[in-house]
Amino acid sequence: MPKYLYKKKYWQFFLGSALVVVAVITIEEVVLEPIIFAGTKRGDTFPGVYVSLLGTLPVMFILSGCKFGWDALKKQAQIDELETTIQESELQFLRSQINPHFLFNNLNNLYSYALQESPKTPEIILEMSGVLRYMLYESKEQFVPLKKELEQLGNFIRLYKLQIEDRGEVHFDVDKIEAEYRIAPLILIVFIENAFKHSQSGQSSDIEIDISVKLNNSTLEFLCKNNYEPGFSLDSVAKGIGLTNVKKRLELLYPKKHILQIEEADNSYKVYLKLELEKV
């Protein structure tokens, strides 16, 4: 079966099967029965081809079915392992895109502050190094503790608040979380980064960004709202690599366990994410 049938060499398979049947009947009638049933009618006579086939074929079909089922189980196990490997590789690739994306956006901002010789430049560099350290070394696992992720989320928000200065207000509310849950790293950061980009790109004052994180039993509810200047196009921002990346990661890591809603009004942009988390 593995040598011919699975390789779609059907003529060779059926010819080989016929030869096996002939060989089995011959061995049974010529060798085994004369020894086992010596001196009896069964041992001395040949009952005929049809009678021999009725005794041989059912056994062969049963054994072939068992072989086919066993091989199918092994093949499915190989497919599952391959799918897991592909999924892990894709997740690693998606995660590797986040660091350059983060650097690209923040180095541009840092460059403008350096040109202005802003006294906040060293503080921004320090905050950036902390966030990058987490991205590069502490978020390599597929899932990380929720508390650690939220702590880095706070650091990330402080980094962007330094850039807004007195041009608006940023609110970050997190419910007190007692239980130990885990979450995919760098999921929420992308939405927050987009919120700051929306507001900063379209307006220079009256920036309003509201971020909240709640945990009800094992369900995480994340809400991020920001305003932007009417008439400013969000296409280039909302359809960037960051948002596409995080949507793909959610599909891979939380299939049928997440709800993502993105709403755009006249001068506001809102992201609502609901995740089913697992305990550590």
Side-chain angles (χ1 to χ4, degrees):
M1 289 172 66
K3 190 172 183 180
Y4 297 114
L5 181 62
Y6 299 163
K7 295 180 180 179
K8 299 182 179 181
K9 298 179 179 180
Y10 300 119
W11 285 110
Q12 294 92 323
F13 172 74
F14 288 118
L15 179 60
S17 299
L19 291 175
V20 169
V21 171
V22 171
V24 168
I25 292 176
T26 302
I27 292 172
E28 179 185 7
E29 297 295 335
V30 177
V31 180
L32 297 179
E33 289 191 357
I35 296 175
I36 299 173
F37 303 102
T40 65
K41 183 179 179 181
R42 180 173 179 179
D44 297 335
T45 60
F46 179 65
V49 174
Y50 295 111
V51 176
S52 299
L53 286 175
L54 288 174
T56 304
L57 290 181
V59 177
M60 291 186 65
F61 283 136
I62 292 173
L63 294 177
S64 298
C66 293
K67 170 65 175 172
F68 186 80
W70 177 254
D71 289 345
L73 288 174
K74 290 200 300 182
K75 181 64 69 175
Q76 186 60 48
Q78 292 174 354
I79 292 173
D80 292 342
E81 184 178 356
L82 181 61
E83 288 179 347
T84 301
T85 303
I86 292 173
Q87 186 182 79
E88 290 176 354
S89 300
E90 187 170 3
L91 283 171
Q92 289 293 338
F93 173 71
L94 290 172
R95 192 178 301 164
S96 70
Q97 290 180 312
I98 295 175
N99 295 335
H101 184 246
F102 171 81
L103 278 173
F104 177 77
N105 290 328
N106 284 277
L107 284 177
N108 283 336
N109 295 328
L110 184 61
Y111 175 71
S112 63
Y113 274 87
L115 287 179
Q116 299 169 11
E117 297 183 355
S118 171
K120 291 188 176 182
T121 302
E123 189 176 355
I124 293 174
I125 294 174
L126 185 62
E127 291 289 347
M128 274 187 64
S129 66
V131 175
L132 275 175
R133 187 183 305 110
Y134 177 73
M135 287 183 168
L136 292 172
Y137 302 111
E138 300 181 38
S139 63
K140 291 183 177 180
E141 298 296 326
Q142 191 171 10
F143 296 96
V144 297
L146 177 61
K147 291 182 178 179
K148 178 177 287 188
E149 181 71 10
L150 293 178
E151 179 183 341
Q152 293 304 317
L153 212 61
N155 296 338
F156 186 85
I157 291 171
R158 282 194 296 273
L159 170 63
Y160 270 95
K161 285 176 70 175
L162 288 172
Q163 300 171 17
I164 287 181
E165 296 180 331
D166 57 352
R167 292 182 292 158
E169 295 183 354
V170 179
H171 301 284
F172 180 46
D173 298 320
V174 180
D175 281 355
K176 189 176 182 181
I177 298 174
E178 299 292 345
E180 295 292 335
Y181 287 92
R182 58 181 192 161
I183 187 174
L186 311 177
I187 288 284
L188 306 179
I189 280 179
V190 174
F191 300 115
I192 295 175
E193 184 179 24
N194 277 352
F196 279 94
K197 285 171 61 181
H198 293 173
S199 295
Q200 287 180 285
S201 299
Q203 61 196 81
S204 58
S205 62
D206 299 325
I207 294 173
E208 295 180 7
I209 299 175
D210 294 309
I211 304 161
S212 67
V213 180
K214 297 180 181 179
L215 186 65
N216 298 320
N217 296 323
S218 62
T219 302
L220 179 79
E221 293 187 61
F222 170 81
L223 181 64
C224 181
K225 297 188 295 182
N226 67 276
N227 65 340
Y228 67 93
E229 190 68 26
F232 171 68
S233 175
L234 293 178
D235 289 345
S236 60
V237 178
K239 296 180 181 178
I241 188 175
L243 197 55
T244 303
N245 183 311
V246 78
K247 285 180 178 179
K248 185 64 175 177
R249 291 186 67 205
L250 285 170
E251 291 173 3
L252 291 171
L253 294 171
Y254 297 96
K256 299 181 181 180
K257 291 185 178 180
H258 77 278
I259 298 175
L260 177 61
Q261 297 175 345
I262 300 177
E263 299 177 7
E264 179 184 350
D266 293 336
N267 62 344
S268 66
Y269 194 83
K270 182 173 73 173
V271 174
Y272 172 78
L273 176 64
K274 191 175 182 180
L275 282 180
E276 292 293 330
L277 302 182
E278 296 180 358
K279 284 193 173 183
V280 175

